[in-house]
Structure formats: structure tokens, C-alpha cells
Amino acid sequence: MVSQGDAPGNEILYEIMSRFDRFEKQPGPCETATEDMVFQPEASFEVASCPGESALGRLSQLRKEGRRSGFTVILLGSKDDAVILAENREHCATSLEKYLREAATLNVDKWLKEQVERDPGEYFAEIGEWCEMTPRRGISAHLETLSRKPRDAVYIARIPTSENWEAPAYIGLGGWNACPDASVLTALAKRWHKRYGAEILAITHDTMEFKVANPPASKERAIELAKEQFIACPDIVNQKAGTISALASRLINSNYWYFWWD
């Protein structure tokens, strides 16, 4: 359990945590967790810690339970990620209801167009030549950034909604630098869920990862999707793939998507 005497930066995490039993009653590697993180009164949800090496198994088990019982489970990454997300939500003036309302009324096509018109230089990338790149094989929020070894502990959130795409609104991700705010991320997640069967598996303080049931199967559809994802997250092209086609080649027939904002 987090104590008030822990290192600086943990105070806000301590203030919004209280003991809970629900995860302790579940068998498996999360059974010793005792934390309940409440990000905001009207958007409250439980968060339990779990060893990184068993996080994916626990996530899969809880996702199955969520589909039966009407809740969503999201991997939040490390304790530092959870602290930053909690701080962001604590100081955010936008309510969950407003995020969801704005997401429901957002015209995504219009938003994508307006982003490019607002800053053509920021949202320009070469289409480039098609090149075969290795698709992602899974998610990485439970892994150390450099060593790629499982973290000692990660956090898993149990969010009270059956709509997985609403997770950014509950967590309050975004609204800084080139990262869209939570209402836009929620609207995009809903669009991609309907079109590609995409479901959010992980949200850290600066990343979002999806599992995709029906990824694009043609170059044309993959490039169309890559253009959308680039506008939503320029860094995945500017600092990673390099071109739209390179990103598209990682999206075609790929069951995992990764977003990262600097």
C-alpha cells in the first residue's frame, strides 16, 4: 500500500487510493493488490497492481469477465504512468459527461480535415514507396522501455463501462502537445472499433495500444487508415515509420496498433 512517506510525487496517488477487496477475491497474480485509484468522483474506477510477467494473462482473464459483466479493463503501465495519469485527471476541469458528449457529436472526418488545414506543415508526411515492415506482435505497456523485460509491477484499471472505446474519456488521456484531447481520442477509438474491431488494451501517460479483430487487408485501406492515424498521432510517422506507406505496411493484416505522443 502506498504510504505518505513514499518518495515525492506519490502524494496525489496516496490521496486518491483506498483499500478495496474486489480484485483480492479474484484468483491469480493480482490477488494481493490493495489499491483503489479514483481519478475523479464521477469517473471513478478501481486500479490494482500486478507483476508485469503475468499482466497479459490477468488482462485477458479480466477482459473475459468484463464482456460478461459490462466493464472494461485497461492496462495502465507502470506506477509512474498511473501517477501521471492520476495527476492529469485530478487537474482536468472537463467532466466525463462532457468528454462523452463531445465524442458522440464529433464529426471525425471534419476534425481530420481541419487538423491538416490548421497546420499543413505539421500534418504533412510523404506517402513513400511501399515497403514490407514487420507488424507488431503484441502490446508493450507491461515491459520496460529499454530492456523489454516485464516490469516488476504494472497497474490494471477496471472501468465501469461496457464500451471499450470510452476508456480515454474515463482516464482523461490527451489534450497536450500533439496529443488530441480525450473526447477526440474517444471518437477515434469508436470509429476504429466499428470499422476494424479495434479495442484499447493499454493506456499509459503517453501511449495507447489496441488489439484489432479486423485489420485492413489491402494496401489501399491500410494507407487510408495510416493517414488517419498520422493525423491523430504524428510521432508514429515523424519519429518512427518515416512515411505513410511504411506505417501502412505495419497496419495491413496486423492485430496490434501502437500510438505514442512526445
Side-chain angles (χ1 to χ4, degrees):
M1 190 72 173
V2 180
S3 68
Q4 285 178 313
D6 283 343
N10 289 335
E11 290 84 356
I12 191 168
L13 185 59
Y14 173 80
E15 291 172 1
I16 58 178
M17 279 183 163
S18 62
R19 183 178 177 82
F20 74 100
D21 297 324
R22 201 162 303 174
F23 276 15
E24 287 188 303
K25 293 176 182 176
Q26 302 291 340
C30 279
E31 60 189 2
T32 59
T34 58
E35 293 92 351
D36 179 10
M37 184 185 300
V38 181
F39 276 50
Q40 193 161 308
E42 74 274 15
S44 63
F45 51 88
E46 300 159 342
V47 175
S49 62
C50 177
E53 62 185 4
S54 51
L56 295 186
R58 189 65 175 129
L59 184 66
S60 177
Q61 177 187 2
L62 289 170
R63 277 167 50 81
K64 290 178 182 177
E65 293 178 17
R67 283 191 285 270
R68 293 194 300 268
S69 303
F71 62 85
T72 290
V73 182
I74 301 292
L75 182 61
L76 299 181
S78 69
K79 180 179 178 180
D80 287 343
D81 286 311
V83 169
I84 294 171
L85 288 169
E87 289 176 337
N88 290 345
R89 200 68 182 99
E90 176 84 357
H91 296 103
C92 179
T94 305
S95 69
L96 169 64
E97 287 77 12
K98 185 176 181 182
Y99 276 143
L100 293 177
R101 185 169 60 251
E102 290 177 348
T105 59
L106 182 71
N107 183 320
V108 174
D109 288 318
K110 181 180 178 182
W111 180 85
L112 292 167
K113 181 180 179 181
E114 288 176 347
Q115 289 297 102
V116 176
E117 292 175 345
R118 179 177 60 82
D119 191 345
E122 174 69 15
Y123 296 101
F124 171 79
E126 296 284 348
I127 298 298
E129 296 293 328
W130 186 267
C131 56
E132 299 297 333
M133 295 189 67
T134 304
R136 298 188 68 84
R137 302 298 184 187
I139 65 172
S140 58
H142 63 300
L143 304 176
E144 295 287 353
T145 303
L146 297 179
S147 70
R148 313 308 289 173
K149 294 181 180 179
R151 300 182 187 275
D152 291 337
V154 295
Y155 282 73
I156 297 177
R158 183 185 185 278
I159 299 174
T161 176
S162 60
E163 305 292 0
N164 171 274
W165 44 266
E166 290 183 345
Y170 276 83
I171 294 173
L173 178 67
W176 44 267
N177 294 350
C179 184
D181 71 16
S183 61
V184 175
L185 293 176
T186 298
L188 287 167
K190 182 178 181 180
R191 175 188 180 96
W192 294 334
H193 175 71
K194 289 185 173 182
R195 292 188 175 186
Y196 304 102
E199 292 195 346
I200 303 168
L201 293 189
I203 292 176
T204 71
H205 79 280
D206 61 355
T207 69
M208 187 160 61
E209 298 183 80
F210 289 77
K211 186 173 183 179
V212 187
N214 304 301
S218 69
K219 291 182 179 180
E220 292 74 20
R221 289 199 69 200
I223 288 175
E224 178 185 357
L225 175 61
K227 290 177 180 178
E228 289 186 6
Q229 292 195 358
F230 166 66
I231 296 171
C233 184
D235 287 335
I236 58 175
V237 171
N238 292 339
Q239 298 192 42
K240 287 186 178 292
T243 66
I244 295 296
S245 289
L247 175 60
S249 73
R250 298 198 71 173
L251 298 176
I252 193 168
N253 295 320
S254 174
N255 296 116
Y256 294 94
W257 298 346
Y258 176 86
F259 297 86
W260 168 72
W261 294 271
D262 194 354

